[in-house]
Amino acid sequence: MHTVIIGVGGVGGYFGGKIANSGQKVTMVARGKHLKAIQEHGLHVKSIFGDFVTHPFFATDDITIVEKADLILICTKSWQVTEAAQLIKPILKEDTVVIPLQNGADNAEKLLSVLPAKHVIGGLCKIYSKVEAPGVISHFGHPPEIIFGELDPDSYRDKTKRLQKIKDVFDKAAFNNVISKDISVDIWTKFMFIATVSGLGALTRATIGEMYENPGTREILEQTATEIYQVGTAKGVSFPKDLVDQIMTFIGKQPYDSTASTQRDLMEGRPSELDNFNGFIVKEGKKLGIPTPTNTFIYSCLQPMEAKARQ
């Protein structure tokens, strides 16, 4: 199996690094100083579960010279997914599988707007990680996990063989992974958590623990999650009825000083996934006629910062 990693940041660097470190064939598509460091010195992964250095089969910024792939993990930011889908067309085989792993609720749909449906399955990951320096990935929280599954539940039984092949790659790499029977619910559940804490975290400059322990911000977190629940339900996602309560409990169990990547991007003046998180809920709420006052307030307050970063 030849696995290609598009985007070697905190997510792609960790999971791609683990696959490469297990002796499997991995190509990493990166750029700039990060790429040069990987090419010259390998990829250094600092992890709470043990550090390692790995040398992938190939690392490049030129997709035209990459061998065709069996598995492609899209690990860019959400706003880059459509561009990534165009980029990978030359390395698709008849049975290549493409999995998006970034945060957001509509990444698979973005891939499907460009690629044939037969190539795309849904996915998400759970990890706290970042690029610490060129060629260096820091994994600093949460047992890393990938959850993936067929987008069409009716096809689940017919396509278990290809899912099992992917699971074999992940199992050999020795990180947690699960084949989902309803990947839409899993994607939206992760999205509810990350969108709930990201925007308010950027607005308050507070950690997840600080927001949760303060009664006022905890109430805003719950309001944000409730609006996401309402929008997702209207879009046909089969949420458990107590999901908002589950999310609030999960938020309360996060490391006290943890922050989300979108919060860190906004605070450090970098382009973020704000439009794909709170902005996405505002947009979908308008389409569906569902009020989203909390998400609208958070999005509106942060949008000037986002616009400045993108200039």
Side-chain angles (χ1 to χ4, degrees), residues 13-301:
Y14 180 83
F15 290 109
K18 287 286 286 184
I19 297 170
N21 199 48
S22 66
Q24 300 182 76
K25 185 176 180 179
V26 173
T27 293
M28 296 182 175
V29 179
R31 61 187 178 184
K33 294 180 180 180
H34 193 46
L35 170 62
K36 186 176 180 180
I38 295 169
Q39 291 172 329
E40 293 180 354
H41 308 293
L43 180 69
H44 294 236
V45 177
K46 298 179 179 180
S47 171
I48 56 176
F49 297 133
D51 302 347
F52 62 88
V53 179
T54 187
H55 296 267
F57 167 74
F58 192 45
T60 183
D61 59 2
D62 185 358
I63 197 74
T64 65
I65 60 174
V66 174
E67 291 185 20
K68 290 187 181 295
D70 299 296
L71 172 64
I72 302 175
L73 302 182
I74 306 292
C75 305
T76 62
K77 295 293 188 180
S78 294
W79 75 84
Q80 299 168 318
V81 170
T82 303
E83 179 185 355
Q86 294 285 358
L87 185 73
I88 64 175
K89 282 182 176 180
I91 62 170
L92 294 177
K93 299 192 295 187
E94 182 67 23
D95 59 351
T96 301
V97 173
V98 184
I99 308 177
L101 290 182
Q102 54 284 106
N103 297 318
D106 62 340
N107 295 307
E109 287 79 2
K110 290 173 182 174
L111 290 178
L112 290 169
S113 71
V114 177
L115 304 177
K118 66 181 180 180
H119 292 297
V120 182
I121 70 174
L124 64 107
C125 68
K126 298 179 180 181
I127 188 174
Y128 286 114
S129 58
K130 64 181 180 179
V131 177
E132 182 177 289
V136 182
I137 303 297
S138 173
H139 161 228
F140 54 90
H142 203 290
E145 181 177 33
I146 289 179
I147 301 172
F148 61 104
E150 299 292 348
L151 294 167
D152 179 3
D154 294 334
S155 70
Y156 177 77
R157 292 180 181 275
D158 299 331
K159 297 182 179 178
T160 52
K161 286 186 179 179
R162 74 172 183 173
L163 293 179
Q164 188 57 53
K165 285 183 179 179
I166 297 166
K167 193 174 193 319
D168 290 344
V169 171
F170 296 163
D171 285 345
K172 187 175 180 181
F175 54 76
N176 296 336
N177 66 96
V178 176
I179 296 175
S180 170
K181 293 186 178 181
D182 194 335
I183 193 62
S184 293
V185 170
D186 290 325
I187 288 171
W188 271 83
T189 299
K190 163 73 180 301
F191 172 73
M192 185 183 293
F193 162 69
I194 201 71
T196 294
V197 299
S198 292
L200 188 61
L203 197 57
T204 61
R205 302 296 202 262
T207 68
I208 292 177
E210 290 168 340
M211 290 189 292
Y212 187 80
E213 77 173 1
N214 180 280
T217 48
R218 185 167 64 246
E219 183 177 357
I220 296 172
L221 289 171
E222 187 169 0
Q223 291 168 348
T224 306
T226 299
E227 292 174 8
I228 296 170
Y229 180 94
Q230 292 167 343
V231 169
T233 298
K235 290 177 70 67
V237 183
S238 301
F239 290 132
K241 291 182 179 180
D242 65 342
L243 182 59
V244 173
D245 290 338
Q246 291 182 34
I247 291 295
M248 292 303 296
T249 300
F250 183 70
I251 291 172
K253 292 180 178 178
Q254 296 307 295
Y256 187 88
D257 292 329
S258 59
T259 56
S261 60
T262 290
Q263 173 181 350
R264 296 192 296 272
D265 286 340
L266 280 162
M267 290 173 62
E268 295 168 19
R270 296 190 296 264
S272 79
E273 294 175 304
L274 175 67
D275 284 342
N276 305 97
F277 291 178
N278 305 95
F280 173 75
I281 292 300
V282 171
K283 180 183 69 175
E284 293 301 303
K286 288 179 179 177
K287 284 182 185 178
L288 298 164
I290 296 172
T292 59
T294 307
N295 280 274
T296 298
F297 176 77
I298 293 169
Y299 176 67
S300 299
C301 289

